[in-house]
Amino acid sequence: MKAVILAGGEAIRLRPLTCNTAKIMIPVLNQPLLEHLVNYLKKHNIVDIVLTLGKLPDQVQSYLGDGSKFGVRVTYSVEDSPMGTAGAVKNAERFLDEPFVVFNGDIFTDIDLTAMMNLHREKKASASIALTPVEDPTIYGVVETDAENRVKHFIEKPRREEVTTNMINAGIYILEPSILSYIAPNVFSMFERDVFPLLLESGEAIYGYPCEAYWIDMGTPEKYLRLNHDLLQRYPHPALSIDGEGLGKDIKFEDEGTVHSLAQIAGPAIIGEGCFIDKNSVIRGPVVLGARCQIEEGAMVEGVVLWQNCKVGKGAKLRNCVIASNCYIGEESEVLDGCVLGDNVGIGEGNKLSQGIRIWPDKSIEPDAISF
């Protein structure tokens, strides 16, 4: 099958991380989300990919190219304005003449796509929808099925009293090309709201594929941070079990860097190429340091994702936060739980940021400007 990766949204919920970076290029364990998705599809023998793009398409195209260096074949469908999940697929209709997989571009999962494709063929379904259980289904699209997993009802973002199941639409579909005739051209359209209910009314065979596999919608900074933590803690890559001298296990150095003998690093952690970690500093996993980050003397970094070229000053403290590229954290400053800094942000000496503060790119906070 071919796969369509939907990456045309503006990713407003992920701001300020997506102000300068396309959502699908956000780094996960120092590797763009896009590359993780491509590898996932290849694992299930899908090598023909249609990528729908909106914001910052050149950023994606220059990285992935025609896909050959990643072992896939890529076609691009660029939207002038957001088209919605179904509208984006309709916009790529000229590339879709056989059954195909649709994959929301902010989903990270290890759902068994091969088994789902087999079930789709076995049931002779017009559409198959991956289903996953969640604690709070009221913020998602609930899908009711019968004993044979044939879909009976869709309830989009139900009220608490309307909830009859915790199985939600996981944002992964297998569709027959005939489904495209149900989607109006050149208009904003959503599968969940505009297409799937219409298919039910028309008697089309829609089946759910329930599974308990890992699944997360990384559409907010909080969930993005959780995803990085999850992958380090629950799904460690074999390369993370390297014994660095005096550093213990579960620490991966992606390339050469400098670590002072009096620095303390406790994994799981990924440390990008060219990083500098000074004496008496503490790195406490789960942590991801992007390339060329500097952690100065006495600084503490715990549960943090740093992108590239960040500098953490002497005695500074970072905990459970996300910091994008080219940021500076001044001496004795603190950036704590839930804070998110966009690119090129500077924090002056002695400032304390907490309570989930978000700072947009190219902003600076001078000493004592914010303190809690």
Side-chain angles (χ1 to χ4, degrees):
M1 290 188 182
K2 286 185 177 180
V4 179
I5 298 178
L6 302 176
E10 296 185 359
I12 293 173
R13 294 183 300 156
L14 264 172
R15 291 178 182 172
L17 299 177
T18 51
C19 288
N20 300 326
T21 304
K23 174 175 64 176
I24 205 159
M25 294 299 293
I26 293 284
V28 175
L29 304 188
N30 283 344
Q31 187 180 57
L33 172 63
L34 173 60
E35 195 167 338
H36 289 279
L37 294 181
V38 167
N39 290 334
Y40 168 76
L41 292 171
K42 283 172 58 181
K43 177 181 174 182
H44 294 282
N45 298 313
I46 296 177
V47 295
D48 287 297
I49 298 171
V50 178
L51 195 55
T52 72
L53 301 176
K55 182 181 177 183
L56 302 172
D58 293 346
Q59 196 176 91
V60 179
Q61 290 172 312
S62 63
Y63 183 85
L64 191 59
D66 64 2
S68 57
K69 68 178 180 179
F70 298 95
V72 295
R73 294 179 291 272
V74 178
T75 305
Y76 297 98
S77 176
V78 180
E79 304 166 10
D80 295 327
S81 60
M83 299 293 292
T85 54
V89 173
K90 182 69 173 181
N91 195 47
E93 182 174 15
R94 62 195 180 279
F95 306 122
L96 304 173
D97 55 0
E98 58 188 284
F100 58 94
V101 178
V102 177
F103 205 98
N104 281 358
D106 49 10
I107 298 299
F108 200 107
T109 185
D110 59 5
I111 285 174
D112 189 342
L113 201 53
T114 300
M116 184 177 172
M117 289 188 288
N118 290 339
L119 182 67
H120 178 84
R121 296 185 183 103
E122 176 188 327
K123 296 291 187 180
K124 295 181 171 56
S126 296
S128 297
I129 303 172
L131 307 178
T132 189
V134 295
E135 290 185 7
D136 180 11
T138 62
I139 60 176
Y140 297 102
V142 172
V143 183
E144 291 184 352
T145 60
D146 63 18
E148 300 297 322
N149 289 322
R150 185 159 179 164
V151 174
K152 299 192 300 180
H153 300 292
F154 293 96
I155 308 175
E156 189 65 21
K157 297 182 179 177
R159 296 189 301 271
R160 182 69 61 181
E161 60 271 20
E162 294 178 315
V163 173
T164 57
T165 175
N166 69 338
M167 300 301 290
I168 67 158
N169 178 349
I172 303 171
Y173 317 127
I174 300 175
L175 304 177
E176 295 296 313
S178 59
I179 296 304
L180 296 170
S181 64
Y182 289 88
I183 307 173
N186 304 316
V187 296
F188 185 94
S189 178
M190 301 292 288
F191 279 112
E192 306 88 335
R193 184 187 65 214
D194 304 311
V195 179
F196 290 149
L198 183 59
L199 294 180
L200 276 186
E201 291 176 12
S202 302
E204 296 281 359
I206 307 176
Y207 282 85
Y209 175 73
C211 62
E212 299 282 343
Y214 180 78
W215 179 92
I216 190 169
D217 165 11
M218 54 151 270
T220 66
E222 296 76 17
K223 290 182 179 178
Y224 167 73
L225 180 62
R226 188 197 308 169
L227 170 62
N228 281 273
H229 286 186
D230 286 349
L231 295 180
L232 286 169
Q233 293 175 312
R234 298 164 59 180
Y235 298 90
H237 189 280
L240 291 178
S241 297
I242 296 173
D243 284 316
E245 183 177 351
L247 296 176
K249 294 185 177 181
D250 296 333
I251 301 166
K252 177 186 177 183
F253 288 87
E254 295 186 316
D255 210 329
E256 293 185 2
T258 302
V259 180
H260 196 282
S261 60
L262 295 180
Q264 301 178 44
I265 304 180
I270 291 180
I271 299 173
E273 64 172 324
C275 284
F276 172 80
I277 301 173
D278 207 349
K279 66 180 179 180
N280 299 323
S281 59
V282 177
I283 310 292
R284 188 172 296 140
V287 162
V288 180
L289 302 186
R292 298 174 299 282
C293 285
Q294 299 181 48
I295 312 299
E296 296 198 336
E297 180 180 350
M300 189 183 84
V301 176
E302 177 181 1
V304 173
V305 174
L306 269 68
W307 292 8
Q308 299 183 6
N309 303 313
C310 292
K311 184 175 181 179
V312 180
K314 291 183 180 180
K317 182 178 181 180
L318 308 182
R319 184 180 68 212
N320 296 330
C321 58
V322 179
I323 297 177
S325 298
N326 307 311
C327 290
Y328 171 73
I329 311 301
E331 295 184 13
E332 304 298 332
S333 292
E334 296 183 2
V335 182
L336 303 179
D337 306 295
C339 287
V340 184
L341 309 187
D343 297 320
N344 309 310
V345 169
I347 304 296
E349 296 179 13
N351 277 287
K352 300 179 187 294
L353 306 184
S354 61
Q355 300 180 350
I357 288 175
R358 298 188 186 190
I359 304 178
W360 260 240
D362 304 307
K363 300 294 183 183
S364 294
I365 294 180
E366 298 304 322
D368 302 318
I370 293 182
S371 182
F372 295 99

